[in-house]
């Protein structure tokens, strides 16, 4: 097995020679850009994040601009990235930094971890990349690398295993080159020591990796004990006057918080609530969407109403049918809107 010292040294050497160096949020000490990238990269792959990151920066170039923006605008820029609590926490965090810290990010990982949406691992990454602080990260990719390299059994989310992994991560920290080491862990997990089909033949750690030696790459890290995935369903009423679509903004918390969606509920009750009468009703094909902890079946109905209809209440918005999919709507709703717009076009 690799000694902890040799693991650290070899990882730094590999990262400097073969790691990623040209991502949009690299080659900067700006904590705002680093923080934004770290939050976006939670549960989301680099290729997906890059265009969102660039658009977000164009609209909110610094923490003050983000803090001053309305939450609806922030949510619209996040639409499609998923895990929308991240966007709400991002906004809250920016406001707290602007109000409490005079627009300056705290430099210590311990202080960063107290801000909304920033946990221990993310705080360490920001502190390392922005301020050169020696702090340990332990996200999902890093847990996989360490479990395979050092042969650690047990589900990483279990308290005892989690404590062991944190202790190991702390013990591996280098005295210098913390940025290269931290980036190396991220690069190794994202590009070589992947969840499926790890590229062990290219890995600088393979010769001392216990999982590679014992052929246990598929077993480590130990999977979460399986529980049945709950199934839910929800009915949505897509109301159109032929040229526009009526959308309703969700409450700020909960599923799709702050995003625009078609009114939810049984068709007749929904139309009555909105004071509308449909001239035509057309059930659409159901659509399944998987979340982290449950699966949702969307049951949509398309209702056509008179072109002169009102509904100017707060939270309701009429959007051009051919533009509605580009608004701040969640991914499955975007699919439904595009189907309707295509059929109507």
């Amino acid at each position: 097995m690799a000694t902890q010292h040799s693991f650290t040294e070899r990882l730094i050497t590999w990262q400097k020679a073969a790691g990623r160096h040209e991502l949009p949020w690299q080659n900067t000490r700006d904590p705002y850009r680093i923080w934004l990238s770290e939050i976006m990269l939670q549960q989301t792959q680099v290729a997906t994040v890059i265009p969102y990151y660039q658009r977000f920066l164009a609209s909110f170039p610094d923490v003050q601009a983000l803090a001053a923006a309305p939450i609806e605008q922030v949510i619209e820029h996040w639409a499609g990235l998923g895990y929308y609590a991240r966007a709400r926490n991002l906004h809250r965090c920016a406001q707290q930094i602007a109000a409490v810290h005079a627009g300056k990010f705290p430099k210590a990982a311990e202080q960063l971890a107290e801000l909304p949406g920033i946990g221990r691992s993310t705080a360490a990454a920001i502190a390392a990349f922005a301020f050169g602080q020696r702090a340990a990260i332990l996200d999902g990719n890093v847990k996989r690398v360490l479990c395979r390299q050092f042969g650690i059994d047990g589900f990483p989310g279990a308290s005892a295993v989690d404590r062991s992994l944190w202790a190991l991560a702390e013990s591996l920290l280098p005295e210098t080159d913390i940025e290269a080491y931290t980036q190396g862990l991220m690069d190794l997990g994202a590009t070589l020591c992947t969840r499926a089909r790890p590229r062990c033949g290219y890995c600088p750690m393979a010769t001392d990796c216990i999982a590679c030696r014992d052929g246990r790459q598929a077993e480590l890290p130990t999977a979460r004990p399986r529980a049945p995935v709950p199934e839910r369903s929800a009915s949505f009423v897509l109301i159109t006057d032929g040229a526009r679509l009526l959308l309703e903004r969700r409450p700020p918390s909960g599923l799709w918080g702050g995003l625009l969606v078609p009114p939810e509920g049984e068709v007749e009750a929904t139309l009555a609530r909105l004071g509308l009468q449909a001239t035509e009703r057309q059930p659409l094909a159901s659509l399944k969407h998987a979340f982290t902890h449950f699966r949702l079946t969307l049951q949509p109905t398309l209702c056509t109403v008179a072109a002169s209809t009102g509904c100017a209440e707060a939270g309701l918005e009429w959007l051009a049918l051919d533009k509605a999919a580009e608004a701040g709507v969640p991914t499955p709703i975007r699919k439904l809107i595009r189907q309707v717009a295509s059929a109507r076009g």
Side-chain angles (χ1 to χ4, degrees):
M1 184 180 83
T3 65
Q4 294 174 9
H5 180 66
S6 69
F7 172 88
T8 301
E9 283 191 341
R10 281 188 290 157
L11 184 62
I12 291 171
T13 300
W14 172 79
Q15 200 285 324
K16 289 181 176 180
R20 298 176 295 185
H21 298 275
E22 301 300 329
L23 296 173
W25 44 84
Q26 291 183 311
N27 305 308
T28 181
R29 287 285 192 179
D30 183 352
Y32 174 72
R33 291 173 177 244
I34 294 165
W35 162 67
L36 177 60
S37 70
E38 289 297 324
I39 300 301
M40 285 189 166
L41 287 165
Q42 293 171 358
Q43 308 288 334
T44 310
Q45 295 183 345
V46 166
T48 301
V49 165
I50 288 175
Y52 279 90
Y53 174 83
Q54 293 169 330
R55 286 195 297 268
F56 208 92
L57 273 184
S59 294
F60 315 112
D62 53 40
V63 72
Q64 289 89 348
L66 178 55
I71 182 59
E72 292 81 7
Q73 187 180 3
V74 177
I75 291 288
E76 285 178 6
H77 279 70
W78 201 274
L81 266 183
Y83 303 97
Y84 294 98
R86 292 183 297 171
R88 296 190 291 272
N89 283 330
L90 196 82
H91 192 240
R92 286 177 53 221
C93 185
Q95 292 182 324
Q96 190 166 323
I97 290 170
V100 179
H101 300 279
K104 304 285 188 184
F105 279 78
K107 293 186 177 181
E110 295 79 10
Q111 288 179 285
L112 287 164
E114 295 175 358
L115 294 168
I118 302 181
R120 181 178 174 183
S121 183
T122 299
I126 298 167
F129 291 133
F131 307 116
Q133 184 181 341
R134 190 172 172 270
I137 65 168
L138 193 64
D139 63 10
N141 279 346
V142 177
K143 288 179 180 180
R144 184 169 61 252
V145 168
L146 297 184
C147 285
R148 286 175 175 170
Q149 181 71 33
F150 296 97
I152 297 172
D153 287 294
F155 171 54
S159 297
V161 182
D162 182 68
R163 285 194 299 271
S164 296
L165 285 169
W166 273 114
L168 175 58
E170 296 280 359
S171 74
L172 292 170
L173 289 174
E175 294 299 328
T176 60
D177 286 321
I178 187 63
E179 299 92 333
Y181 173 74
T182 303
Q183 188 64 51
L185 281 173
M186 295 177 173
D187 292 349
L188 196 68
T191 65
L192 298 182
C193 194
T194 50
R195 182 179 289 108
R197 297 187 294 277
R199 302 168 64 201
C200 299
Y202 298 89
C203 180
M205 309 299 180
T207 54
D208 292 307
C209 176
I210 289 178
C212 185
R213 182 195 70 190
D214 298 343
R216 300 184 63 203
Q217 295 95 324
E219 299 173 25
L220 294 174
T222 304
R224 178 192 298 271
R226 288 207 164 189
V229 179
E231 297 276 355
R232 301 182 192 174
S233 64
S235 298
F236 289 92
V237 187
L238 285 84
I239 299 171
T240 180
D241 62 4
R244 301 176 299 166
L245 187 71
L246 184 63
L247 297 179
E248 190 168 26
R249 194 167 297 279
R250 301 280 286 199
S253 60
L255 180 66
W256 296 329
L259 272 71
L260 290 167
V261 301
E264 180 181 356
E266 188 271 331
V267 174
E268 294 304 327
T270 299
L271 291 171
R273 171 172 69 88
L274 298 174
L276 297 173
Q277 289 188 340
T279 59
E280 183 183 343
R281 296 171 178 77
Q282 179 186 352
L284 303 177
S286 61
L287 177 66
K288 292 185 179 293
H289 186 74
F291 293 88
T292 306
H293 301 298
F294 68 97
R295 285 193 290 263
L296 179 68
T297 300
L298 289 77
Q299 306 283 4
T301 301
L302 178 63
C303 290
T304 302
V305 297
S308 60
T309 192
C311 282
E313 303 170 26
L316 292 170
E317 296 184 29
W318 283 101
L319 298 178
L321 190 54
D322 59 350
K323 302 291 185 185
E326 309 310 318
V329 298
T331 299
I333 298 300
R334 181 176 293 121
K335 293 178 182 177
L336 287 178
I337 293 173
R338 284 176 175 160
Q339 289 176 11
V340 172
S342 176
R344 292 277 164 152

